Amino acid sequence: MNDFLPYGHQVIDDEDVRAVVEVLRGNMLTCGQHVEQFEQAVSEYCGSGGAVAVNSGTAALHAALLGAGVGPGDEVITSPITFAATANAVLYLGATPVFADVSSETLLIDPEDVRRKITSKTRAVIPVDYAGQPCDYDALRSLATTGERPFSIIADACHSLGAKQGSRNVGALADATCFSFHPVKAITCGEGGMIVSDDQELLTRARRFRSHGIDKTFKDRQRLGSAVYDMLELGYNYRLTDFQCALGASQLLKLDSFISQREKTARLYDDFFRDEEHIASLSVLPQNKHAWHLYVVRLNLEAFRLSRDELVAALYSLGIGIAVHYRPVYLHSYYQSLGYDQGLCSKAESAWNEILSLPIFPGVGQPDVERVVTSLKEYLR
Ligand SMILES: *Cc1c(COP(=O)(O)O)cnc(C)c1O
């Protein structure tokens, strides 16, 4: 279908292509200077003390949790309204994901429910900056630091690169912050991810974990004139290539413009839905500058002629790529097999039945928005 409008899509220009080709014609395809340059650029953008590039957002979460010391027997509190990878990263480390409910207005993790889920085993919380707006980090920070046993805040900011809370950028709000550079995200490397943090110890451990748990990189060995290295712990190959980092660095230059284009699209949707009583946009906290990764509406399904899933199918057949973010993680078969109860987070479960993510990315214009809104309203009773 030619005029298929997906919910998200990358924007690649000639500069991006040139940046990648230049690296492909060079000497180092991986472990070269472009990795460090991209790390430095993202870390400067966010105002964090350092960064570690990895080959996916999932790897970033895995490595950041490891860097924060999460291991077997620990509990990590997170939101059920997220991509499965958030909770999967906890399982990779032998720790237990504990789900705290979300606020119905924002679908962001509710600090009050986080407080109820804290135990002596809580080692970290992973706030998910759902749709692109930062969670309530002040409230989470006070929970993390004032209890009997302090715990880490590892942000899943795969939606919120470029967002802000007050004067602070995402990347400077948590103990460590994880980004994804998958094509639907704010900027892309094809696949890729990054951890930013002020905690040099956490970053060092994550950096080692990215390369098998080995103490010296290829470059360290060259510098030291030594072929000897030691593997200190069980790591992975989570490295990101130089040509992907060159793409990421080139994309980063356009991030602010991408976000303002997304914001324009969001304003158009807002205008259409403001007076529509059966289609509600999510709320934005006053202190937040939103990155608009997703534009999510919540439907009063009683007012529609179709069920939510029929609505998705109908819009698809009109060439509109609606998505649903997300089915609560613990309702997936695998998590059910681990014994998570249905009904665990009632607000998340009722939201999941009523939400739709509408197309938003740089390049979605007024005619697209009108087409989406008109199509959606066709199915109102
Ligand atoms: C995209 C995403 C991830 C995983 O990132 P990948 O780069 O696809 O591994 C994790 N959490 C959230 C909320 C995401 O949107």
Side-chain angles (χ1 to χ4, degrees), residues 174-195:
D175 296 311
T177 302
C178 301
F179 298 118
S180 164
F181 307 122
H182 178 278
V184 297
K185 307 295 163 79
I187 61 169
T188 190
C189 297
E191 298 277 1
M194 200 173 288
I195 305 151

Side-chain angles (χ1 to χ4, degrees), residues 71-119:
D74 292 334
E75 293 177 354
V76 176
I77 302 173
T78 192
S79 167
I81 299 289
T82 186
F83 185 53
T86 316
N88 292 352
V90 176
L91 292 178
Y92 295 160
L93 290 161
T96 304
V98 172
F99 295 97
D101 211 347
V102 293
S103 126
S104 300
E105 288 72 39
T106 57
L107 304 188
L108 298 175
I109 198 164
D110 174 7
E112 263 313 293
D113 206 42
V114 171
R115 193 178 51 75
R116 285 189 281 269
K117 302 286 164 73
I118 294 170
T119 72

